[in-house]
Amino acid sequence: MAVRGVSGGGRVLSLDSLVRLRRALPAASSVPRRLAVPDGMTAPLGCDAVAVPARFGPLVMPRLPRVGCVYADEAHWWWIVPSDSDYALEWPGAVRYSTGAVVLDTPRLIHRPEGSVPYTPPIPLYLALCRVMGITPSWSRQISA
């Protein structure tokens, strides 16, 4: 089956091409949305999110002195951090930093801290991620001359 172009320019698309085009479109669940801060919590410093592959999540949690809101799905875990927590930090390559805590996935809240503030402190999170990923923190790397 082939479909002629609307403009009549003689362009023909096969059914296979149409199916491939449809599969390349983002899924309905891939609509950008902000991670919601739970009711009763406030984010006076704004919110960004740090996403890591899910296999690292359980390794990072016990290494943190305070764990804020954590969201997860099968592929990633997200930690809520104050806005601009990427300033002067070179997050490891496998980490995704999301300004505004905007994500394309649909994670669920898996950890809610006591109190009214949703943040995980970014420096301890950064150090824990470097540790479990086997990466030297950027400020500890030797500068070559």
Side-chain angles (χ1 to χ4, degrees), residues 2-145:
V3 178
R4 290 243 175 240
V6 176
S7 66
R11 200 167 171 183
V12 177
L13 294 176
S14 71
L15 185 56
D16 288 339
S17 295
L18 292 172
V19 169
R20 275 195 300 274
L21 285 170
R22 173 68 182 127
R23 287 182 181 157
L25 292 174
S29 66
S30 295
V31 175
R33 69 181 119 250
R34 288 181 186 263
L35 292 173
V37 173
D39 289 339
M41 299 192 100
T42 61
L45 302 175
C47 284
D48 288 348
V50 175
V52 300
R55 70 181 181 274
F56 294 116
L59 302 172
V60 170
M61 292 283 277
R63 295 177 182 272
L64 297 171
R66 181 187 191 283
V67 179
C69 289
V70 181
Y71 299 80
D73 65 15
E74 292 178 13
H76 295 95
W77 284 33
W78 288 263
W79 278 265
I80 296 293
V81 295
S83 292
D84 299 323
S85 292
D86 59 337
Y87 180 76
L89 281 180
E90 188 179 315
W91 291 91
V95 172
R96 287 189 313 187
Y97 188 88
S98 173
T99 302
V102 175
V103 298
L104 294 176
D105 306 294
T106 309
R108 68 190 187 293
L109 181 67
I110 62 168
H111 182 268
R112 179 187 171 141
E114 295 290 325
S116 63
V117 180
Y119 305 123
T120 296
I123 300 297
L125 177 59
Y126 172 80
L127 292 171
L129 287 169
C130 286
R131 179 72 170 189
V132 301
M133 293 178 171
I135 296 167
T136 303
S138 58
W139 58 73
S140 297
R141 293 185 197 132
Q142 192 170 30
I143 298 173
S144 58

